[in-house]
Amino acid sequence: MERSPLRRRALAACTATVAVGALALAGLTGTASADPASTAPTPVAGSAQLSPGLLKAMQRDLGLTAAEARGRVAGESRAAALTAGLRYSLGERFAGARVSGDDADLTVATTDASDAARITKAGARAVVVDHSLAELDAAKAALDAVALRTAPKDIPAWYVDVRTNRVVVQAGKAAAADAFLAKAGVARDLVTVAPSTERPRTFTDLRGGDAYYMNGSGRCSIGFPVKRGTQGGFVSAGHCGTPGVSTSGYNQQAQGSFQGSTFPGRDYSWVATNTNWTPRPLVNGYGNGDVTVTGSTEAVEGSSVCRSGSTTGWHCGTVQQRNSSVTYQEGTVSGVTRTNVCAEPGDSGGSFISGSQAQGVTSGGTGNCSQGGVTYFQPLSPALQAYGLTLVTNGSTTPPDPTDPPTNPGGTWAAGTTYAAGDVVTYGSASYRCLQGHQAQPGWTPPNVPALWQAV
C-alpha cells in the first residue's frame, strides 16, 4: 500500500535527529532468574482503551490508522519492559535502545558481540557498537558541567544519540563546538558536531494539559496531578514560577502556589493546590475525550509520544533522544528529552504521554504548530523524586500518606509509589533493593521483577 507523504515523514521521524525547547506564555508576562529480560512483565498499555483524542492526534501527526496506533502503543509498551530487563542484564555493556516502525521493532545496542545471542533470544535486534551508554552519558555530563558554569554561545543543544552511538553537539559555528569540547575535555571521537541555526526559548505563556495562571498574569499548562501525602497538586515546568508565586486555574479561580521550582539546570516545579481542586489521573483531550494515566513507564527512543497544552491542545510525534541539554536565554537545562512534537507559548509545563504512561512536562523548543518544530520535555521521575511526590494514576487516585501503615500485607512495597535506585522495601518476609528508579504498578511486585528489584 502506498504511504502518504505525511506517513513517510512520520515514519522517517522515528530515526531523524530533531531538536525541541521550552514552552510558556510570558507576561500575559539482582537476580531471580538467569536473564531478567525474559521475566520482566509487560506493562499494560491499555491500547484498546486509548482515548479518542489521543488516537485522533496520533492519526493526524503520525499518519496512522486507529488500529495501527493501538498496535504501536502496545508494541512500544512491550519494548519498554524488555529494554528494562536487557539494560539490567547487560550492565555496563548496554549501549542504548530504540524502536522503529509501526510495529515498534526494538533494537538494543551493546559493546560486546557475545551479547548478541541474548538480545536476539529476548526478541530484539542486536547491534554492536564502540561506546557504552555510560561512556556517552559521562561525556555529556562533562559538557553539562561546563554549561552550568557558563551557558555556551552558539551551542543551542547537545544530547546522547543512541542511533549513531555518539554525543551530538549542535553548533551555530564550528569554532564554538571546538571550544566547548576542549573546555569539557571530551574526546572528539565520541562527538558529532551538527550545524544548527536553532534558537530555543521558553514559552511561559487538576488535569494534565489544563491552563493555569501565575500571579494573575503569565499562563502555563499543568503537567500531571500528584500528591505529597494527603496534599494534592501538580507538576509543571520550573520556568513557569518560583516558590511562593500564587496560581489560579483555567477558570481564574484561586488554585494554589508554587512549593518548589528548579530552572535553569533542570526544568520542573510543583504546585500545591487548595481543597477545591481534586487531582485526577487525567490528561485533557481538548474536546476529544480525556486520557487516563495508568503509570509512568519510560518510553524507548523512537516511541510515539503526545503532548497536551493549553495553547495548541493535542499534538504527537516521536521520542528522538533522551539525556539532551538545551541552552535557553535564561541558561542551560540538562537531562531533558528531545522530540519532534510541536508546541507554542502557553504549552509550557504541559503533559507528555506515551499511550497511557506519563513521560514528562513540556520545557521548550523551536518552531510552532503551523510549520512544525522541536520540543524538549523534562522527564517526570526527577521531579517526583526531588519533591517526594506520587503521580496520581487510575490505580492510585488517593495514594496513602507515607506516614500511614503499609497497606500491602506483609511488606512496605506498594503500587503507585515512586522508588529511587537504592531504596529498600519488604515484601512478604524478604527485603529487596531497587535497581532503577520507577513508578510501581500493580503486578510489578519485587519477586516478579528482577529487572527492577534485587533480593537482599
Side-chain angles (χ1 to χ4, degrees):
M1 179 178 68
E2 176 66 17
R3 301 187 188 276
S4 68
L6 174 60
R7 179 72 174 279
R8 289 194 295 269
R9 289 196 299 272
L11 295 178
C14 292
T15 55
T17 299
V18 187
V20 187
L23 311 170
L25 180 55
L28 277 167
T29 69
T31 57
S33 67
D35 189 349
S38 64
T39 60
T42 299
V44 178
S47 58
Q49 290 79 39
L50 293 177
S51 81
L54 186 145
L55 281 174
K56 185 178 293 185
M58 289 183 71
Q59 292 176 73
R60 178 196 65 207
D61 295 341
L62 297 176
L64 304 173
T65 66
E68 287 171 337
R70 291 190 181 95
R72 180 162 178 163
V73 169
E76 291 168 353
S77 181
R78 289 190 294 270
L82 181 57
T83 297
L86 285 169
R87 180 170 191 155
Y88 171 67
S89 62
L90 297 180
E92 63 183 11
R93 305 182 305 278
F94 180 76
R98 65 185 188 276
V99 296
S100 59
D102 293 349
D103 296 326
D105 296 323
L106 178 64
T107 298
V108 175
T110 177
T111 58
D112 191 335
S114 66
D115 291 326
R118 172 183 289 182
I119 295 170
T120 302
K121 182 179 179 180
R125 174 175 174 264
V127 174
V128 181
V129 296
D130 294 330
H131 310 293
S132 69
L133 185 59
E135 184 180 6
L136 296 177
D137 283 345
K140 182 182 171 293
L143 295 172
D144 291 346
V146 169
L148 287 176
R149 294 193 294 270
T150 305
K153 294 182 179 180
D154 292 314
I155 306 291
W158 56 101
Y159 47 84
V160 172
D161 185 2
V162 300
R163 183 178 62 87
T164 62
N165 194 229
R166 292 290 188 276
V167 175
V168 175
V169 175
Q170 293 186 329
K173 298 178 180 178
D178 292 338
F180 190 32
L181 296 176
K183 187 175 292 187
V186 172
R188 188 58 187 261
D189 65 347
L190 293 173
V191 176
T192 296
V193 175
S196 175
T197 59
E198 292 182 6
R199 292 292 181 269
R201 78 279 194 195
T202 56
F203 306 141
T204 305
D205 179 347
L206 279 167
R207 175 181 55 177
D210 279 352
Y212 70 94
Y213 299 86
M214 299 82 74
N215 281 344
S217 55
R219 171 169 59 87
C220 275
S221 300
I222 292 174
F224 293 94
V226 297
K227 282 206 168 186
R228 184 175 181 178
T230 58
Q231 173 65 59
F234 60 85
V235 292
S236 188
H239 68 265
C240 288
T242 56
V245 170
S246 64
T247 69
S248 56
Y250 66 92
N251 55 4
Q252 298 288 359
Q253 298 301 304
Q255 182 187 67
S257 63
F258 282 83
Q259 303 298 299
S261 177
T262 298
F263 180 80
R266 296 291 187 266
D267 194 5
Y268 51 66
S269 63
W270 97 276
V271 173
T273 57
N274 61 47
T275 56
N276 293 328
W277 297 83
T278 302
R280 302 293 189 190
L282 301 173
V283 172
N284 192 338
Y286 284 94
N288 295 293
D290 294 340
V291 177
T292 299
V293 179
T294 66
S296 58
T297 300
E298 183 178 280
V300 177
E301 294 186 20
S303 296
S304 57
V305 66
C306 296
R307 178 195 56 72
S308 178
S310 59
T311 298
T312 59
W314 273 110
H315 285 277
C316 300
T318 57
V319 175
Q320 301 290 290
Q321 290 89 19
R322 293 192 173 276
N323 193 16
S324 301
S325 293
V326 57
T327 297
Y328 303 129
Q329 183 177 357
E330 300 88 342
T332 295
V333 174
S334 300
V336 289
T337 298
R338 175 183 171 96
T339 76
N340 60 358
V341 185
C342 71
E344 296 182 7
D347 289 328
S348 271
S351 322
F352 263 87
I353 190 165
S354 182
S356 63
Q357 302 296 307
Q359 299 298 307
V361 301
T362 304
S363 176
T366 59
N368 55 50
C369 289
S370 297
Q371 299 175 330
V374 169
T375 302
Y376 298 90
F377 69 79
Q378 165 67 59
L380 183 61
S381 291
L384 300 180
Q385 294 169 9
Y387 303 123
L389 307 172
T390 300
L391 175 68
V392 174
T393 69
N394 69 335
S396 63
T397 54
T398 55
D401 190 311
T403 61
D404 290 343
T407 58
N408 185 53
T412 58
W413 179 90
T417 302
T418 299
Y419 295 104
D423 287 350
V424 176
V425 300
T426 57
Y427 189 83
S429 59
S431 297
Y432 298 85
R433 179 178 292 107
C434 180
L435 297 173
Q436 52 185 308
H438 66 284
Q439 174 92 18
Q441 299 184 48
W444 289 33
T445 56
N448 293 333
V449 197
L452 299 178
W453 295 98
Q454 182 179 44
V456 295

